[in-house]
Amino acid sequence: MNSPQAEAVPSSLKIALAQANPTVGDIDGNIAKLRELRARAATLGADLIVFPELFITGYPPEDLVLKPAFTVAARAAVEALARDLGPGPAVLTGTVWPEEGRVYNAAVLIDNGAVEAVRFKVDLPNYGVFDEKRVFAAGALPGPVSCRGVRIGVPICEDVWGTEVVECLAETGAEIIISPNGSPFDWTKPDVRMNIAVARVIESGLPLVYLNQIGGQDELVFDGASFVVNADRSLAVQMPAWEEGLALTEWTRTDEGWVCATGERAVLEQGDAAAYQACVLGVRDYVDKNGFPGVILGLSGGIDSALVAAIAVDALGPARVRAVMMPYRYTSDASIRDAADCAKALGVTYQTLPIEDAVAGLTKALEPALKGTNADTTEENLQARARGIILMALSNKFGGMVLTTGNKSEMSVGYATLYGDMNGGYNPVKDLYKMEVYRLARWRNAHVPKGGKGPAGEVIPQSIITKVPTAELRPNQTDQDSLPAYAVLDDILSCLVEKEMPLADIIARGHPPETVKHIERLLYLAEYKRRQAPPGVKISPRNFGRDRRYPIVNKFREPL
């Protein structure tokens, strides 16, 4: 499909990088966005505009790829787009591509009114959040495509994480490597990506464009942060993270090969700032792409719900956030005051709906069945379930989605009530341990995130941050009645969940053996709860759900 012999050899090239936010399944909407960005690139004089992995279909499409109607529609839309595009930049975009009974993760080059080249992803990831081998066929090792006289290698995402594909492209004449990506964020990912890209540059001797998508898709959040590394390993361009953008890169052919001129080199958010941005983007896209008018949450006066409220306001604006305090006889005056102060600082709609009558009604209904038994967590959980019913009723009536507020520490050990405080559609802090929740709360009081729609200043009262954590389901209750201190708990959990460390190694860090065994037991027992929990933003290298898939029925316990 290429005719490189007929093309003049240019001395310069302008490549536009479309760091764009697609929506999975919205083929027409994604193509409309492609057209808009191409038109903008044309005004900048671009010769080529590049879009991320599977941009036409959105990424990841998961088992939609197994639906023939979906894959046929995607290919037909791309071919129609090619016929319809007028003069302007060539387009390199990712898409699902069915061919000869197989479906590929593909990159297509559109120019001169036709699909001029198609390249298939070779290395299909099958670990962590990825399971592309279930739905895609692997492509053969590719050669470069020819675009306006320049031979471009197009390794797709995972293809640059190993050596083989880029090596093949270099050996078959590629002059520039352009890698369309759908690389989800976690705490460690930006540095890992750069290290991988530099390694491929060193091995191939070629400059590399790393184009990543932006946006949220269910649990996954894509941070963008696209970049260009020259053959001498210098960073030519660094696009910002956490925002859509169109960057024009300008290239010159030299005796040593193609060189990208220095452009914007944005400073990327790190650590807590990046994690907070991820939470905001995850909530915003989950709510907006699913068409919810806004969100509802219970505001208890505790740190978790306060942070969730702040994230929701930064994502959606205060007018789209409704907070509800649902006090009971064990709710302290301090919690009532703190919740009201937090709601006022954030500017959200706020309402107090006491649950005394609801709990009394449930207690009376259960009286014949529970007669002669002693009160325990059964009665405590009625409070959480009454609150869950109220939040879901408000959701049904007004259309807002309920946000849940349980952190990763609590979800790890089952410190949450099914059909109570676990009710809801999305959890912004699901992958944040308790100590990370505190850190992000302090960060938010000192900063407004990029693109945040909330106010500056202290939006989470200091009294919420400094108070002893408690569920307030019984008199004088604290979380540490049944759990170790959160700093201890989080370290043990990180060793068990993210690192799969042997128990002996965890104990060697200074933790008592009986505490480690107790936490291991709680972690395993709570699997059935986590299976019924709403999705939430992935922040860590190993979240619950896509990354960690333990069986519910599981008798294994590691011996000491």
Side-chain angles (χ1 to χ4, degrees):
M1 283 186 280
N2 291 313
S3 302
Q5 298 87 352
E7 295 177 296
V9 178
S11 60
S12 64
L13 189 71
K14 293 183 178 181
I15 304 174
L17 308 182
Q19 184 171 287
N21 186 350
T23 298
V24 167
D26 187 9
I27 295 171
D28 290 343
N30 296 336
I31 285 180
K33 182 171 284 192
L34 181 151
R35 289 177 180 275
E36 176 192 347
L37 288 166
R38 180 178 183 263
R40 285 174 53 193
T43 66
L44 300 174
D47 300 295
L48 170 67
I49 180 169
V50 185
F51 290 84
E53 179 180 14
L54 292 181
F55 181 78
I56 299 298
T57 55
Y59 183 81
E62 301 188 78
D63 281 9
L64 276 174
V65 178
L66 302 178
K67 191 174 186 65
F70 176 72
T71 60
V72 169
R75 176 164 178 168
V78 170
E79 291 173 333
L81 172 70
R83 292 191 297 270
D84 185 58
L85 281 182
V91 173
L92 181 65
T93 185
T95 184
V96 166
W97 194 262
E99 186 168 291
E100 296 181 352
R102 294 185 161 195
V103 181
Y104 298 92
N105 180 334
V108 298
L109 177 67
I110 299 172
D111 203 9
N112 301 313
V115 174
E116 292 211 331
V118 182
R119 292 295 182 268
F120 300 141
K121 189 172 184 176
V122 177
D123 192 354
L124 302 176
N126 201 50
Y127 59 87
V129 301
F130 307 106
D131 53 5
E132 290 191 26
K133 288 183 179 178
R134 288 185 66 246
V135 295
F136 288 116
L141 285 171
V145 302
S146 182
C147 178
R148 305 195 176 183
V150 181
R151 296 186 302 277
I152 295 173
V154 190
I156 301 171
C157 199
E158 193 75 12
D159 288 344
V160 299
W161 289 67
T163 62
E164 190 176 24
V165 176
V166 173
E167 180 182 12
C168 178
L169 289 165
E171 290 175 350
T172 52
E175 299 172 88
I176 300 171
I177 300 296
I178 298 179
S179 180
N181 278 261
S183 177
F185 170 81
D186 66 46
W187 295 97
T188 65
K189 193 63 72 66
D191 288 342
V192 173
R193 291 187 199 122
M194 183 62 71
N195 291 337
I196 291 294
V198 170
R200 299 295 87 77
V201 168
I202 292 171
E203 293 157 3
S204 67
L206 299 174
L208 186 146
V209 177
Y210 188 102
L211 176 65
N212 193 27
Q213 79 172 49
I214 182 78
Q217 173 60 28
D218 297 345
E219 302 102 315
L220 302 182
V221 175
F222 301 87
D223 52 324
S226 306
F227 58 86
V228 179
V229 177
N230 271 319
D232 64 0
R233 290 173 277 171
S234 63
L235 180 66
V237 174
Q238 174 65 71
M239 295 181 69
W242 311 114
E243 61 185 58
E244 289 191 272
L246 183 69
L248 185 71
T249 63
E250 301 189 41
W251 297 73
T252 303
R253 186 191 294 273
T254 71
D255 292 340
E256 289 75 36
W258 286 94
V259 176
C260 180
T262 301
E264 179 183 17
R265 289 191 283 195
V267 177
L268 301 181
E269 292 79 4
Q270 301 288 330
D272 295 339
Y276 193 92
Q277 293 282 173
C279 293
V280 168
L281 181 57
V283 170
R284 180 182 295 148
D285 273 8
Y286 193 83
V287 171
D288 287 346
K289 289 180 179 181
N290 279 305
F292 290 105
V295 295
I296 301 167
L297 73 150
L299 196 59
S300 68
I303 186 70
D304 299 311
S305 62
L307 180 62
V308 169
I311 290 168
V313 168
D314 283 325
L316 306 170
R320 297 177 67 190
V321 179
R322 179 175 189 153
V324 186
M325 158 56 85
M326 294 166 283
Y328 189 56
R329 64 186 66 170
Y330 305 129
T331 305
S332 67
D333 291 341
S335 290
I336 293 172
R337 181 175 59 253
D338 287 341
D341 289 347
C342 183
K344 182 178 180 181
L346 288 168
V348 301
T349 300
Y350 180 69
Q351 192 170 14
T352 299
L353 298 176
I355 64 168
E356 190 78 35
D357 290 345
V359 174
L362 290 169
T363 302
K364 185 173 180 58
L366 286 165
E367 198 171 72
L370 302 185
K371 186 176 181 179
T373 64
N374 295 322
D376 55 18
T377 55
T378 304
E379 286 77 13
E380 292 178 11
N381 287 342
L382 290 180
Q383 300 167 51
R385 292 188 170 118
R387 292 181 174 117
I389 289 170
I390 288 171
L391 292 174
M392 291 307 301
L394 293 173
S395 176
N396 291 159
K397 181 63 69 174
F398 300 109
M401 184 190 69
V402 176
L403 292 176
T404 59
T405 62
N407 60 67
K408 191 172 187 177
S409 306
E410 296 169 349
M411 297 308 300
S412 295
V413 297
Y415 201 72
T417 304
L418 275 175
Y419 325 120
D421 54 319
M422 289 176 65
N423 278 6
Y426 201 72
N427 183 349
V429 297
K430 182 179 180 179
D431 202 27
L432 293 171
Y433 287 116
K434 187 75 167 188
M435 300 308 293
E436 293 168 347
V437 168
Y438 281 110
R439 291 208 323 257
L440 263 62
R442 294 188 184 97
W443 182 89
R444 179 55 183 89
N445 277 347
H447 307 86
V448 177
K450 180 192 299 182
K453 299 181 180 182
E458 185 177 272
V459 295
I460 299 174
Q462 194 64 26
S463 53
I464 290 178
I465 296 175
T466 58
K467 72 167 60 174
V468 176
T470 171
E472 294 190 324
L473 298 177
R474 61 177 181 267
N476 303 313
Q477 181 186 24
T478 72
D479 291 2
Q480 272 55 66
D481 293 343
S482 52
L483 297 173
Y486 276 115
V488 173
L489 176 63
D490 289 356
D491 186 66
I492 294 172
L493 288 172
S494 176
C495 292
L496 288 170
V497 176
E498 276 85 4
K499 300 171 183 144
E500 294 284 6
M501 284 176 60
L503 297 189
D505 291 354
I506 302 174
I507 292 166
R509 294 168 69 89
H511 301 299
E514 63 275 13
T515 300
V516 174
K517 283 296 292 182
H518 177 58
I519 299 306
E520 180 206 37
R521 177 178 178 273
L522 294 179
L523 177 65
Y524 286 153
L525 291 178
E527 189 63 41
Y528 80 101
K529 286 187 177 182
R530 290 190 291 271
R531 290 288 186 96
Q532 299 179 67
V537 183
K538 172 181 161 64
I539 299 293
S540 73
R542 199 170 192 221
N543 74 333
F544 288 124
R546 286 176 175 268
D547 283 320
R548 185 181 184 276
R549 307 178 193 183
Y550 265 59
I552 296 173
V553 177
N554 172 22
K555 291 295 185 181
F556 177 77
R557 299 293 184 269
E558 183 180 341
L560 281 175

